[in-house]
Amino acid sequence: MIKIAPSLLSADFSRIAEQVATVERGGADYLHLDVMDGRFVPNITWGPKIIADLRKLSPLAFDAHLMIVEPERYVEDFRKAGADVITVHWEATVHAQRLLAHIRSLGAKAGLALNPATPVSFVEDVIEDLDLLLVMSVNPGFGGQSFLPVALKKIREARALIDARNPNCELEVDGGIGRANIAEVVEAGACVIVMGSSIFGTADPGAEVGAMRKLAGSAR
Ligand code: DX5
Ligand code: ZN
């Protein structure tokens, strides 16, 4: 089953309650929350306070994508704020295995993200520690960038690794996905599709969630 994860990065925060309600009604599975610190990535977004406030608006599963240095310092705060999935970057932490185990011990799903330059083989030895593997299809930091074709090869590699070693692990892809390429991304093996501008950049983001699900369903 494919999960659609609208990214709030491209939402209009002056009417955030309405934007969240729209994608919820449209059938979104996850609400993808991009946390950026201006150090790991050249952009700054929000922290646990905003996520805790959003938590009051919606029962949707919250998928927190931490693009921050030293994520081990903050995972507890994000769990307390209401994150259901906590994804940290492989490139941002020295002791990934310890951190993933810690995230699980907090009762959240543990996710690990790979920048476009980081090979899938680098996570082979922690694949059993993962509930979600995130293959970035853009360099993280901004919405509205173009999909990097190298991601398709990596999704196929990640799918093979997951099928062989941890079939319950979700395979998420994030960046540059829209109507034109969602089917291709699903065919390659992704099951959680993050989309920011291609959902919130439309007049009816809720309807767009449904349209994307249809396109994803036609893929396999
Ligand atoms: C980028 C973020 C994405 C972003 C994707 O660093 O991780 O979640 O919102 O935006 P689009 O779908 O517009 O590429
Ligand atoms: Zn993201």
Side-chain angles (χ1 to χ4, degrees), residues 3 10 18 25 28 38 43 51 55-56 87 101 109 111 131 136 140 177 180-181 191 193 201-202:
K3 291 184 174 167
S10 294
E18 176 197 325
R25 275 199 308 272
N43 194 6
I51 294 183
R55 188 69 286 176
K56 298 176 207 158
T87 298
K109 286 190 184 178
D131 300 303
M136 290 303 300
I177 304 171
N181 60 357
C191 65
I193 314 297
T202 64

Side-chain angles (χ1 to χ4, degrees), residues 40-116:
F40 183 70
V41 290
N43 194 6
I44 299 175
T45 55
W46 51 77
K49 165 74 164 81
I50 300 288
I51 294 183
D53 286 357
L54 291 168
R55 188 69 286 176
K56 298 176 207 158
L57 295 177
S58 171
L60 272 178
F62 279 11
D63 173 28
H65 175 194
L66 306 189
M67 287 160 274
I68 63 176
V69 298
E70 299 179 45
E72 50 281 348
R73 293 175 59 192
Y74 297 100
V75 290
E76 222 164 306
D77 293 344
F78 284 104
R79 177 61 181 149
K80 277 186 200 140
D84 300 287
V85 183
I86 300 179
T87 298
V88 297
H89 266 263
W90 183 91
E91 303 82 7
T93 186
V94 177
H95 302 290
Q97 197 282 333
R98 174 188 290 154
L99 180 53
L100 293 164
H102 182 49
I103 294 171
R104 278 184 169 173
S105 78
L106 297 171
K109 286 190 184 178
L112 194 59
L114 299 178
N115 277 339

